[in-house]
């Protein structure tokens, strides 16, 4: 049995919350032309750094907005603020700058591996550029000023998306969560505060942004992730020892269903894909975990509608999902040679 | 959608019950050497007709007996009468003559298609031969004398094994059964009176053997089977019309599970195989229904032990079944070309 570190950490995200001097916070910001001006200044500055796609949220269709949201590039708040909001998204989708979400800017950097420092470095470069467009509101004592006091100080949120099938199935998350809370950290389902832990994905991030340096925050999150990864790997091992055949049966059945079904709903799909990912993690399958994560995102409702080129109803999406994902998984050729009797 | 007649009738069986003059009925027959003599006489006579395997039941292991029983070649009563009982089974397993079961001889002919007359003709040839070994007890008024009065007269039982997934799933068997009873017919699960309808297999046969000619019995059973087949095909069509995608999804998932699982118990296996057979019947898969029926029999517990060459416990059989059946199904290459996107 092969267990890799990569089989637990799905992605790393660093987010900085910033506000400009001389502009009211977005919730009090009614002047559309001033908002446009802000957007132009930021976009112009960023165009020096990388290729960005600029989305004025009032010009983006509901469907397109849903696609961006499913891809973790924008938030519901940004969509709701559409009169004044915009998003700048880099071509490779690693950088997303939301303008006039809760704060004037929310700068995010995504990495599909576990490297908080690299992500922080990258987003700091973007942050420096944006600061050149308009000066940030900064207080020597409080640090960066934010619309919500919970983001005051560094304005930094370091998040790591974790795939924790063993902890979830063995009902161990409720033991872990109080420990993390004590460290000033929170755990949420993959799709934000209100979502359950679909696909056994959990987002670990710092709660506190004030009274700690950026370095402190990164260190605390980093070491919590390391502990979680070790705990998860240990519990995966225990699962294999307790009922290896049962586990192998479950992941192979999930693969069999995904590659043969004619329709599959979003919830079942997430659950079967979690099994297949666990199969890759345990060496039952050959495969690229990131390709499986991509497929999970591609099969969310708005992303399916986009792939299909027209909006489907739920039943239509279930059939599309079965066909598309089945084909994608067969092309990945996951079954392990040794197992192919 | 393709629907064939063969997709309902699994097999035809004709059984004749006979007893010899000058021998007590088996339940009162204690003389082992007389029984041996009877067995020898019959075996010698039959060796003129075909290649038969002779099993003295007291010399057959429990495991071997279970294999024969699972293959419908012998009965539990024959096993229990082992002191005096034997079976003669033709090489192709189409003919089985049980000696000293409930009656002195129970002659059976199996056909893997729907042809009662052909089966009756074939077993009549065997019957004539056996009558030459020792004369049958026959009464001009009562016909052939049997240990149990329910078999008096023709001693003929005509049985047809039917695969009735649509009637079973749509809960229509309870409507059919009273009709059949009125015609003097019975319906049982595939494995005899006490078994449920595993694999959606039902055995239709005549109850009455007295006061009707052989021809009458064959005609009644034949026409009942025709009615059942039409009813089943009509209900399959209705199932497709009501939820074709759901049905296709179910049969494809069954195939996916069977070709990928690591363990599968007897009950689930029967149910998934019934789905795959229905898939063949509906044209979702290419395939040979009889090969699938063979696989069902081969995967019964004693048959698995025999294939394995050593007795396995239940958990071991579940793993063996998954591996063997998965391999067999993959080799059959069932998925329909049109469906393989």
């Amino acid at each position: 049995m092969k267990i890799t570190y990569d089989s637990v950490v799905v992605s790393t995200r660093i987010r900085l919350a910033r506000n400009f001097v001389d502009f009211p916070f977005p919730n009090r910001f009614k002047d559309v032309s001033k908002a446009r001006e802000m957007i132009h200044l930021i976009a112009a500055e960023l165009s020096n750094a990388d290729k960005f796609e600029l989305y004025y949220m009032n010009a983006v269709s509901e469907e397109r907005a849903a696609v961006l949201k499913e891809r973790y590039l924008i938030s519901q708040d940004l969509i709701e603020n559409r009169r004044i909001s915009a998003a700048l998204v880099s071509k490779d989708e690693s950088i997303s700058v939301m303008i006039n979400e809760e704060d004037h800017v929310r700068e995010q950097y995504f990495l599909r591996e576990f490297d908080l420092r690299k992500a922080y470095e990258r987003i700091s470069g973007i942050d420096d550029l944006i600061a050149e467009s308009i000066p940030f509101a900064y207080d020597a004592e409080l640090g960066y000023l934010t619309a919500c006091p919970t983001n005051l100080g560094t304005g930094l949120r370091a998040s790591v998306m974790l795939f924790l099938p063993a902890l979830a199935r063995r009902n161990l998350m409720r033991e872990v969560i109080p420990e993390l809370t004590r460290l000033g950290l929170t755990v949420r389902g993959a799709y934000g505060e209100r979502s359950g832990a679909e696909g056994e994905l959990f987002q670990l991030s710092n709660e506190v942004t004030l009274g700690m340096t950026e370095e402190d925050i990164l260190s605390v999150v980093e070491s919590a992730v390391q502990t979680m990864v070790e705990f998860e790997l240990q519990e995966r091992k225990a699962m294999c020892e307790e009922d290896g055949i049962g586990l192998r049966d479950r992941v192979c059945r999930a693969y069999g269903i995904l590659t043969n079904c004619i329709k599959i709903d979003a919830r079942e799909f997430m659950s079967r894909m979690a099994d297949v990912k666990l199969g890759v993690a345990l060496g039952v399958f050959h495969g690229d975990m990131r390709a499986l994560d991509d497929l999970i995102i591609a099969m969310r409702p708005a992303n399916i509608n986009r792939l299909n080129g027209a909006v489907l109803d739920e039943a239509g999406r279930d059939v599309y999902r079965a066909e598309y994902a089945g084909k994608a998984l067969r092309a990945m050729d996951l079954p392990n040679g040794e197992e192919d009797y």
Side-chain angles (χ1 to χ4, degrees), chain A residues 50-327:
Chain A
D50 206 336
K51 283 220 180 297
F52 283 88
E53 190 84 46
L54 173 59
Y55 299 95
Y56 290 100
M57 292 316 294
N58 64 351
V60 167
S61 71
E62 214 173 292
E63 274 304 323
R64 188 78 185 92
V67 167
L68 295 170
K69 191 182 158 205
E70 285 177 0
R71 305 183 74 78
Y72 306 100
L73 296 167
I74 66 171
S75 67
Q76 188 56 36
D77 282 354
L78 193 82
I79 297 172
E80 281 163 19
N81 277 0
R82 67 175 66 77
R83 234 168 52 86
I84 55 166
S85 68
L88 283 153
V89 177
S90 67
K91 277 272 183 263
D92 65 357
E93 299 189 348
S94 64
I95 305 165
S96 152
V97 176
M98 293 192 280
I99 304 172
N100 290 322
E101 201 242 24
E102 187 180 295
D103 295 297
H104 289 143
V105 278
R106 289 277 180 111
E107 312 155 11
Q108 300 184 94
Y109 196 90
F110 301 85
L111 254 184
R112 312 199 69 189
E113 61 186 310
F114 179 43
D115 195 337
L116 286 160
R117 275 142 223 286
K118 182 168 160 191
Y120 180 69
E121 244 171 59
R122 298 283 169 86
I123 202 62
S124 295
I126 298 296
D127 191 50
D128 292 345
L129 271 176
I130 294 174
E132 285 177 27
S133 66
I134 316 168
F136 288 144
Y138 185 83
D139 179 272
E141 204 176 321
L142 293 172
Y144 292 101
L145 300 181
T146 52
C148 177
T150 58
N151 294 315
L152 270 179
T154 58
L156 168 67
R157 178 143 295 146
S159 307
V160 179
M161 184 83 85
L162 299 168
F163 175 55
L164 303 174
L167 298 185
R169 289 170 201 198
R170 292 161 79 81
N171 230 348
L172 293 165
M173 287 306 289
R174 59 180 178 189
E175 285 182 24
V176 172
I177 289 170
E179 292 292 311
L180 295 170
T181 307
R182 231 169 25 82
L183 293 167
L185 302 174
T186 56
V187 182
R188 297 185 182 87
Y191 280 79
E193 303 187 24
R194 280 158 298 186
S195 81
E198 272 190 17
E200 290 152 349
L201 292 171
F202 297 86
Q203 199 174 282
L204 177 74
S205 61
N206 61 308
E207 193 61 46
V208 181
T209 57
L210 183 67
M212 292 175 85
T213 65
E214 283 82 354
E215 174 54 37
D216 289 341
I217 293 169
L218 298 180
S219 293
V220 168
V221 174
E222 197 165 61
S223 104
V225 168
Q226 279 156 354
T227 305
M228 293 286 280
V229 168
E230 276 164 37
F231 192 19
E232 168 68 18
L233 294 181
Q234 166 200 312
E235 292 302 317
R236 286 185 191 171
K237 205 167 160 223
M239 277 170 86
C240 290
E241 280 162 9
E242 283 164 26
D243 182 18
I245 289 178
L247 194 54
R248 187 180 211 93
D249 182 55
R250 179 171 164 165
V251 306
C252 289
R253 280 169 180 251
Y255 177 79
I257 289 168
L258 286 165
T259 51
N260 285 279
C261 68
I262 300 300
K263 62 176 183 177
I264 188 162
D265 66 29
R267 176 175 290 271
E268 185 189 355
F269 179 73
M270 286 297 276
S271 155
R272 304 283 181 207
M273 285 296 287
D275 278 330
V276 169
K277 285 175 62 182
L278 184 56
V280 172
L282 300 177
V284 175
F285 302 127
H286 296 298
D288 174 0
M289 293 287 268
R290 294 300 84 84
L292 295 169
D293 289 328
D294 283 345
L295 185 57
I296 287 173
I297 291 172
M299 292 296 97
R300 292 192 69 86
N303 275 272
I304 285 182
N305 287 336
R306 194 185 177 205
L307 282 169
N308 182 56
V311 174
L312 292 166
D313 63 8
E314 198 175 319
R317 283 197 302 272
D318 291 351
V319 171
Y320 190 96
R321 186 181 289 115
E323 180 172 339
Y324 186 98
K327 192 174 172 179

